[in-house]
Amino acid sequence: MSIVLPAYNERGNIEPLLSQLLVLQQRFALEILVVDDDSPDGTADLVRQLAHRQPAIRLIRRVGRAGLASAIKEGLLDATGDLAVVMDSDGQHPPSAVIQALEALIAADADLVIGSRFHQEAEINGLSGRREAGSTWANAAARFSLHRAYAALTDTMSGFFALRLDRCLPLVRAVDVNGFKFLYELLAVSKGRLRTQEVPLSFQPRSYGASKLDLAIFWDFLISILHSLSFRVLPRRAISFGLVGASGVAVQLLVTQVLMVGIRLGFEQALPVAVVVAASSNYLINNALTFRFQRLAGAALLRGLLKFLLVASLPVLANVGLASAYYSFVDRDTFWAQLAGILVVFVWNYAASSRFVWNTP
Ligand code: GDD
Ligand code: MN
């Protein structure tokens, strides 16, 4: 049996957890894989020392932080047990849940058992009211976007689950590892084929350190939902780029208003300023969210901005041309004319800036 523990800056939490998990050796041929993303607090060095004394502990050390979902995938692909359990390494998931989940997996002949924080008998001590409300909302959105065979699941975002590797490995391979939500992605790619079960999980407060869930991770999740709703056809990055573009439209309208009403500029003077502000805001948000794994900083950030404005200025001209051509030759409908223009701008900006600004294919 393999336990996969993704860890990032968990030096203060992982040692007590490991010693509690090692007790399971009395019942199982046990392997514990800690997947560390080069934590600056020295988690990996600590685990390495512990592994000298305990051969059941294995360390997977990665450089260049690739995120939680990617760490889980890597751990599961390297696991050698028939059964595997994935859990947080910060102590928020009680080790006693491991046995409970494995027993449920075997008794129900299930493929996947989820430790649910929202099960009727579950307990949540470690989530703020806001996080709990957010999770409930996210679960509802997730349920809506997943196959209906999973409609009864109460926690598709959980970080605690047990699975049969022989049956799940092909799906694990196919999981798209952007973001935090490995379980959600596994359910999404399996399209209702997994036999699932839930057990209650009592979620505990963290002893040391802080949660790594931030705005960027929330953003990734929103993109995952839209990606599923698009039948996984639209590339995730394009969805993100499109949402950011929509925010730019709002910025542009707002800045134009402020300049015209606030300092009484004419429309012709206000518009270019608003366009540049909106494009710069798009650039910064894309850099922080859409392309954060290629994130630019310092002088490169400024150079990137100039390139982005250059890349974006071409289609602005094309957009005006296209919209007016559509208007004069195809249909005298300003709405569809503008939409056609915007679509062309979007495709161009997305393709060109991925390639030239953030150097991604
Ligand atoms: N290797 C690696 N790389 N591990 C990571 C990374 C990363 O980039 N980010 C987080 N982890 C590890 C943490 O060290 C911890 O063991 C576990 O993943 C969960 O991270 P937390 O930062 O503690 O998440 P949380 O407690 O706020 O979120 C909980 O709820 C989420 C759903 O709302 C966890 O149970 C998550 O697993 C769950 O998805
Ligand atoms: Mn946690």
Side-chain angles (χ1 to χ4, degrees):
M1 194 264 291
S2 306
I3 300 181
V4 173
L5 298 177
Y8 191 75
N9 284 347
E10 303 294 1
R11 197 184 165 92
N13 296 314
I14 205 162
E15 190 169 357
L17 176 66
L18 286 171
S19 58
Q20 282 175 282
L21 290 174
L22 284 166
V23 177
L24 294 168
Q25 288 183 101
Q26 295 164 0
R27 287 188 54 179
F28 300 95
L30 181 72
E31 151 187 83
I32 303 178
L33 298 108
V34 178
V35 189
D36 172 85
D37 274 341
D38 207 19
S39 306
D41 75 347
T43 304
D45 294 323
L46 173 67
V47 172
R48 189 161 177 268
Q49 278 165 25
L50 297 171
H52 286 172
R53 278 178 272 137
Q54 291 289 349
I57 301 177
R58 286 174 53 197
L59 170 66
I60 300 177
R61 191 200 283 253
R62 316 191 301 167
V63 277
R65 186 174 171 194
L68 175 55
S70 144
I72 294 174
K73 180 169 178 173
E74 188 136 355
L76 287 175
L77 291 177
D78 280 359
T80 57
D82 295 331
L83 307 179
V85 175
V86 174
M87 66 192 287
D88 293 352
S89 55
D90 56 1
Q92 295 201 265
H93 294 155
S96 57
V98 173
I99 296 275
Q100 214 190 339
L102 290 173
E103 278 170 354
L105 194 69
I106 293 161
D109 192 29
D111 303 321
L112 173 70
V113 170
I114 299 171
S116 166
R117 296 163 295 170
F118 305 104
H119 190 281
Q120 289 210 319
E121 290 146 44
E123 234 187 304
I124 302 190
N125 302 312
L127 282 188
S128 65
R130 202 170 121 235
R131 261 298 288 276
E132 193 176 334
S135 268
T136 310
W137 175 87
N139 260 305
R143 204 169 307 132
F144 175 71
S145 64
L146 288 172
H147 191 278
R148 61 194 146 66
Y150 301 141
L153 296 178
T154 59
D155 198 356
T156 56
M157 312 280 122
S158 182
F160 186 104
F161 50 95
L163 37 80
R164 279 179 204 275
L165 276 179
D166 48 351
R167 291 192 210 149
C168 296
L169 214 48
L171 296 168
V172 169
R173 288 178 65 115
V175 166
D176 184 349
V177 291
N178 284 288
F180 225 50
K181 310 297 182 196
F182 183 90
L183 179 62
Y184 172 81
E185 290 291 326
L186 179 68
L187 290 166
V189 296
S190 69
K191 302 196 178 87
R193 279 170 295 168
L194 289 176
R195 276 171 292 174
T196 56
Q197 272 270 299
E198 277 187 338
V199 292
L201 186 74
S202 93
F203 197 74
Q204 300 303 325
R206 250 176 187 276
S207 312
Y208 298 98
S211 164
K212 283 98 206 172
L213 196 137
D214 57 11
L215 180 69
I217 282 160
F218 171 74
W219 181 260
D220 277 337
F221 174 64
L222 191 68
I223 304 297
S224 295
I225 301 258
L226 294 173
H227 182 57
S228 293
L229 290 175
S230 80
F231 302 105
R232 310 186 85 74
V233 173
L234 295 175
R236 300 173 51 99
R237 251 190 6 222
I239 298 175
S240 179
F241 200 83
L243 285 184
V244 174
S247 84
V249 173
V251 170
Q252 181 175 328
L253 295 175
L254 193 78
V255 173
T256 317
Q257 271 304 307
V258 167
L259 292 179
M260 289 175 66
V261 178
I263 55 172
R264 307 203 161 277
L265 281 187
F267 181 65
E268 294 79 6
Q269 287 103 45
L271 188 63
V273 180
V275 168
V276 172
V277 172
S280 309
S281 137
N282 281 1
Y283 167 73
L284 291 174
I285 302 178
N286 272 316
N287 191 53
L289 297 175
T290 315
F291 295 98
R292 73 174 188 285
F293 292 113
Q294 288 83 28
R295 185 183 278 164
L296 304 173
L301 184 68
L302 196 67
R303 241 178 292 132
L305 174 63
L306 298 177
K307 275 199 231 168
F308 187 83
L309 292 177
L310 192 71
V311 159
S313 66
L314 277 169
V316 165
L317 301 177
N319 183 4
V320 175
L322 197 91
S324 21
Y326 186 97
Y327 186 74
S328 6
F329 301 121
V330 185
D331 190 358
R332 299 196 83 75
D333 178 334
T334 52
F335 176 74
W336 289 107
Q338 292 194 58
L339 214 64
I342 289 172
L343 188 70
V344 171
V345 172
F346 168 72
V347 172
W348 159 266
N349 271 352
Y350 172 61
S353 65
S354 298
R355 181 73 199 83
F356 299 118
V357 180
W358 285 280
N359 294 321
T360 51

